[in-house]
Amino acid sequence: MRTIPPLILALAIAACGRGAEGKSLPDVTLPTLGGPQSPSLATCPTEKCFTVVVAPWCGYCRRGTPVMIVLREWLARRGVAMRVIVGLAGIQDVKAYAQEFGPESMLDPEGKVKVTGGVPHFYVTDQKGSILKEIAGMPMTNDPERFAAYFGLP
């Protein structure tokens, strides 16, 4: 069996989760399941924000929903805001799936937040919405601490 040298492994992992230097989340507001519009995605109420885009038809999103719900509370206790955007489907399906995440879930059936590489799609941003890290795909863990560490969060 061949082993992967540590340097090559580290470079491969870094390439998968590289930041999107110079990019920001769009300056858009989205309706929330609870009714009011969300603040702009180009801002963040904490030093860092963790934003996830999911879709009702996505099996990986559905499988990861329980850990994302726990992760939101775990991150909040550590001063990191987590935003969940449910989209890429008809409004009824979007609303039904958003209920699993709660009334602050953002609704994006029109796809205002563009994702490349599929869903779930994760962004770590700063207070001004600048993207520090962008990753498509679900980490293979149900542990909130490991999940957060995968994205470089506390």
Side-chain angles (χ1 to χ4, degrees):
M1 175 190 270
R2 283 182 68 193
T3 60
I4 299 173
L7 179 59
I8 293 173
L9 180 60
L11 290 172
I13 291 169
C16 290
R18 67 178 172 255
E21 294 83 14
K23 288 185 167 182
S24 296
L25 285 181
D27 186 11
V28 297
T29 61
L30 298 169
T32 64
L33 184 62
Q37 288 287 110
S38 69
S40 171
L41 293 177
T43 64
C44 175
T46 56
E47 186 178 328
K48 288 185 179 175
C49 269
F50 186 59
T51 303
V52 57
V53 180
V54 295
W57 46 263
C58 170
Y60 292 108
C61 301
R62 294 286 189 167
R63 191 177 74 225
T65 297
V67 71
M68 286 188 275
I69 291 168
V70 171
L71 180 66
R72 177 187 271 168
E73 296 171 16
W74 192 89
L75 288 172
R77 289 192 301 271
R78 287 155 181 81
V80 177
M82 180 173 166
R83 307 179 286 197
V84 178
I85 301 169
V86 182
L88 306 171
I91 190 63
Q92 296 308 323
D93 291 334
V94 165
K95 284 182 175 180
Y97 186 27
Q99 287 178 350
E100 296 182 39
F101 294 100
E104 62 281 346
S105 302
M106 300 175 198
L107 311 177
D108 189 19
E110 295 89 20
K112 291 180 182 177
V113 179
K114 305 293 182 213
V115 295
T116 55
V119 288
H121 206 93
F122 301 92
Y123 299 93
V124 177
T125 57
D126 65 15
Q127 287 181 314
K128 296 179 181 177
S130 296
I131 299 171
L132 305 174
K133 192 169 222 178
E134 178 179 357
I135 298 176
M138 195 69 177
M140 300 306 289
T141 182
N142 289 328
D143 177 48
E145 187 170 358
R146 286 185 180 166
F147 200 105
Y150 182 78
F151 294 98
L153 295 169

